[in-house]
Amino acid sequence: MKHKITFVIAFQLLFSTVFSQNDTSTIVIMHTNDMHGYINKFAKMKPVIDSVRNANKNSMLVSAGDLFSGNPYVDRYKEPGYPIIDLMNILDYKISALGNHEFDYGQAVLQKRRNDAKFTIICSNIETQNSEIEKIIPYKIIKIGESKIAFISGLKITEEGYPETLKSNLTGIKFTDPIKTISEYKYLKDSASIVIGLTHLGYKADQVLAEKTNFIDAIIGGHSHTIIDTPCVINNTLICQAGSYNNYLGVLTIKILNNKIVYKKDTLINISNRQKTDVNIRQVVDKYYINSDLDRVVGFLGKTLIGQEEIVDIFLDAFRITTNSEISFMNYGGIRIDTLKKGNVKALDIYSVDPFNNDLMTAMLSVDEIISLIKVTYSSEKKKTITGSIKYEVELKKDGSIGSVIFDKVLDNNKLYKVVLNSYTVKSYNFKGNSKFKNANLKSNDALIKFFRDKK
Ligand SMILES: [Zn+2]
């Protein structure tokens, strides 16, 4: 492999001096991923995108998925998600990978947003025949200048076989192994001069994809929010990713001579520290930021909370108190901002820290079932993915397997405890007692708002 990397670098050095910027065989693919509704950066992105387009007419803009969930002004717009689709249309995105968070508003809304989009959303490892979603194509070939570029996509699925979203959003949809499925499209190499893996798999899986295939020239990835400053080349595949939240714009430059790629390079442009903004885009964005419902004050916070470890306590208290439960658990992954500032708490803050609209669910669990919940939610990296209002440590055995769970207070083995979880945790983990959980008819973000209101 080392051999191949040196070879490619040598090639790049040789040809970068041969070609001028405006050579017709130069293709520039600008890319973002995991935008999660961060439309506020579009006004800064526009001048950068314009300058790339002005420098090379054979340039295009693409996205590697997760357009939605993370900005309440987008998530809670009257047509959920519409603002980012509108801005992507204005900026002339040509194509996007399907991300796991695209399902967060439900199938009907995703289909509506697909209808609004002037760009195509692709995914190869999905079958939608029995769902509300119209067929999603696995790949698309786009002609730019004299060159044809094939984009093929795949979506990360968990060991259970589903992408990370609420399972109830996936009714009737089937998923196959993304790497295996993408591998079946080797023939794309014969129909296009460049094959791009426009994936939503995460950096680790992108590396596996590059190892297991030999027809993908570059992977533009997403999902892991990885800032790849210096892309690596595996098996002659360049692996790129541009962080998240529109902080970076990736610029992939590919040069072709006699239908062969002779140069490829990806660089990231930092958008956050750009001064220049586009006035027209700013106006469009500002319009979407008018939302009195989000500006209302719902409570007060006595001190600033920093990091998931501190913020999680609010979730644990709110879940327990609003559902009158004895024990609560919360998944760290559901906490979506890292600071809650002291002072007035607005609805905006609540929907920012908890954007997913999960329901709360309760059940009477035995100690054995609570232990099963704790063990099953322990990650493959041997880390807690959830934490509880009851504190506990998990013993790790020498062979790396999970040993006993030690609580900081004695639990009664003959008693059942009322436990509250969000629906994401219930539906994502197959622990003992899982089927006992019933919907408490309260959204977790509404529980947080109620908790703050009642404290006032
Ligand atoms: Zn994702």
Side-chain angles (χ1 to χ4, degrees):
M1 197 161 74
K2 209 167 192 180
H3 232 83
K4 282 186 183 164
I5 292 172
T6 9
F7 180 71
V8 170
I9 291 169
F11 240 67
Q12 288 178 351
L13 286 176
L14 177 65
F15 282 95
S16 58
T17 50
V18 174
F19 292 95
S20 70
Q21 191 62 37
N22 276 318
D23 196 296
T24 45
S25 58
T26 300
I27 312 279
V28 180
I29 303 169
M30 292 174 278
H31 57 96
T32 57
N33 55 278
D34 299 274
M35 296 193 277
H36 289 286
Y38 274 53
I39 53 170
N40 45 328
K41 300 270 171 63
F42 275 73
K44 281 187 175 183
M45 263 167 61
K46 179 71 163 50
V48 181
I49 290 167
D50 284 347
S51 70
V52 173
R53 281 184 174 141
N54 289 337
N56 192 313
K57 64 181 186 334
N58 294 331
S59 50
M60 64 188 296
L61 178 59
V62 307
S63 141
D66 272 4
L67 316 179
F68 305 143
S69 280
N71 180 357
Y73 290 103
V74 173
D75 298 334
R76 307 190 75 82
Y77 189 70
K78 54 190 180 227
E79 290 289 346
Y82 181 76
I84 192 160
I85 300 291
D86 185 28
L87 281 149
M88 288 175 76
N89 285 341
I90 295 171
L91 260 65
D92 197 21
Y93 273 82
K94 285 283 182 263
I95 191 164
S96 181
L98 179 75
N100 51 309
H101 287 295
E102 264 62 284
F103 296 98
D104 287 355
Y105 311 140
Q107 294 183 12
V109 176
L110 171 55
Q111 186 52 47
K112 272 192 185 172
R113 293 300 82 84
R114 280 178 76 201
N115 296 342
D116 296 330
K118 291 180 182 155
F119 53 91
T120 313
I121 292 179
I122 58 167
C123 182
S124 69
N125 60 321
I126 186 169
E127 288 163 27
T128 58
Q129 289 94 321
N130 301 315
S131 75
E132 292 177 64
I133 294 175
E134 285 165 24
K135 187 180 165 56
I136 295 179
I137 55 171
Y139 67 87
K140 189 172 181 183
I141 295 173
I142 298 178
K143 199 168 179 230
I144 183 156
E146 291 307 305
S147 308
K148 282 180 182 167
I149 309 173
F151 291 91
I152 171 85
S153 192
L155 170 60
K156 164 94 187 284
I157 54 172
T158 62
E159 280 172 12
E160 282 206 300
Y162 297 98
E164 287 166 292
T165 181
L166 214 55
K167 255 192 208 163
S168 51
N169 293 332
L170 302 172
T171 310
I173 308 179
K174 274 193 191 157
F175 295 90
T176 54
D177 181 274
I179 292 175
K180 254 193 220 158
T181 310
I182 292 173
S183 306
E184 290 163 15
Y185 290 89
K186 193 175 174 183
Y187 61 85
L188 287 175
K189 192 77 202 156
D190 305 322
S191 341
S193 29
I194 303 171
V195 179
I196 302 283
L198 186 66
T199 63
H200 197 79
L201 299 172
Y203 185 42
K204 257 191 203 164
D206 281 338
Q207 288 170 295
V208 177
L209 175 64
E211 268 162 31
K212 295 204 169 167
T213 53
N214 57 2
F215 64 97
I216 300 173
D217 299 301
I219 293 172
I220 294 173
H223 190 59
S224 53
H225 296 203
T226 316
I227 301 163
I228 306 183
D229 274 324
T230 328
C232 68
V233 178
I234 294 178
N235 217 359
N236 209 17
T237 303
L238 187 72
I239 304 176
C240 323
Q241 196 176 146
S244 56
Y245 307 126
N246 286 358
N247 288 327
Y248 296 91
L249 177 78
V251 181
L252 172 62
T253 306
I254 296 177
K255 295 179 184 190
I256 299 176
L257 181 65
N258 300 328
N259 215 25
K260 274 215 159 61
I261 294 173
V262 290
Y263 172 89
K264 50 189 175 190
K265 189 182 182 206
D266 187 68
T267 45
L268 296 186
I269 297 175
N270 192 325
I271 298 298
S272 315
N273 61 18
R274 292 267 150 177
Q275 297 302 323
K276 210 172 160 191
T277 60
D278 183 283
V279 182
N280 294 327
I281 300 282
R282 182 84 269 159
Q283 277 174 359
V284 176
V285 172
D286 286 348
K287 188 184 77 191
Y288 288 124
Y289 270 76
I290 300 167
N291 186 329
S292 53
D293 182 56
L294 291 173
D295 291 334
R296 74 199 143 104
V297 173
V298 297
F300 186 83
L301 196 60
K303 66 174 222 173
T304 298
L305 302 178
I306 299 167
Q308 291 175 330
E309 303 273 334
E310 285 188 15
I311 293 173
V312 76
D313 286 333
I314 287 181
F315 282 83
L316 295 171
D317 289 346
F319 287 10
R320 202 169 39 78
I321 291 164
T322 55
T323 62
N324 206 11
S325 300
E326 292 163 279
I327 301 174
S328 54
F329 290 94
M330 171 66 195
N331 59 312
Y332 285 118
I335 302 169
R336 301 303 278 196
I337 53 175
D338 47 24
T339 312
L340 269 180
K341 282 204 183 108
K342 177 181 162 176
N344 282 339
V345 177
K346 290 181 177 176
L348 171 69
D349 301 315
I350 301 298
Y351 295 124
S352 301
V353 74
D354 184 10
F356 296 131
N357 284 329
N358 288 311
D359 290 317
L360 292 187
M361 300 182 86
T362 59
M364 300 301 294
L365 294 190
S366 67
V367 175
D368 186 46
E369 288 164 337
I370 293 169
I371 289 173
S372 167
L373 165 69
I374 290 171
K375 287 186 173 179
V376 168
T377 54
Y378 224 57
S379 76
S380 50
E381 283 97 41
K382 300 285 175 280
K383 271 195 219 145
K384 282 182 189 176
T385 61
I386 66 166
T387 188
S389 59
I390 176 160
K391 302 296 166 212
Y392 61 88
E393 284 308 320
V394 179
E395 224 177 36
L396 277 184
K397 291 185 186 164
K398 274 193 186 132
D399 64 0
S401 64
I402 295 166
S404 42
V405 175
I406 306 139
F407 294 99
D408 75 340
K409 69 171 204 184
V410 182
L411 291 182
D412 185 348
N413 280 316
N414 299 313
K415 198 189 143 179
L416 296 178
Y417 291 89
K418 187 174 178 186
V419 175
V420 55
L421 300 174
N422 65 21
S423 45
Y424 178 82
T425 309
V426 176
K427 287 168 183 170
S428 302
Y429 297 102
N430 196 14
F431 56 92
K432 263 194 246 173
N434 173 301
S435 58
K436 289 185 187 175
F437 277 87
K438 294 223 157 55
N439 204 310
N441 295 316
L442 181 63
K443 302 258 178 233
S444 74
N445 39 33
D446 287 337
L448 288 165
I449 288 174
K450 192 168 186 298
F451 171 70
F452 272 108
R453 266 207 195 122
D454 293 349
K455 267 206 325 184
K456 264 207 278 192

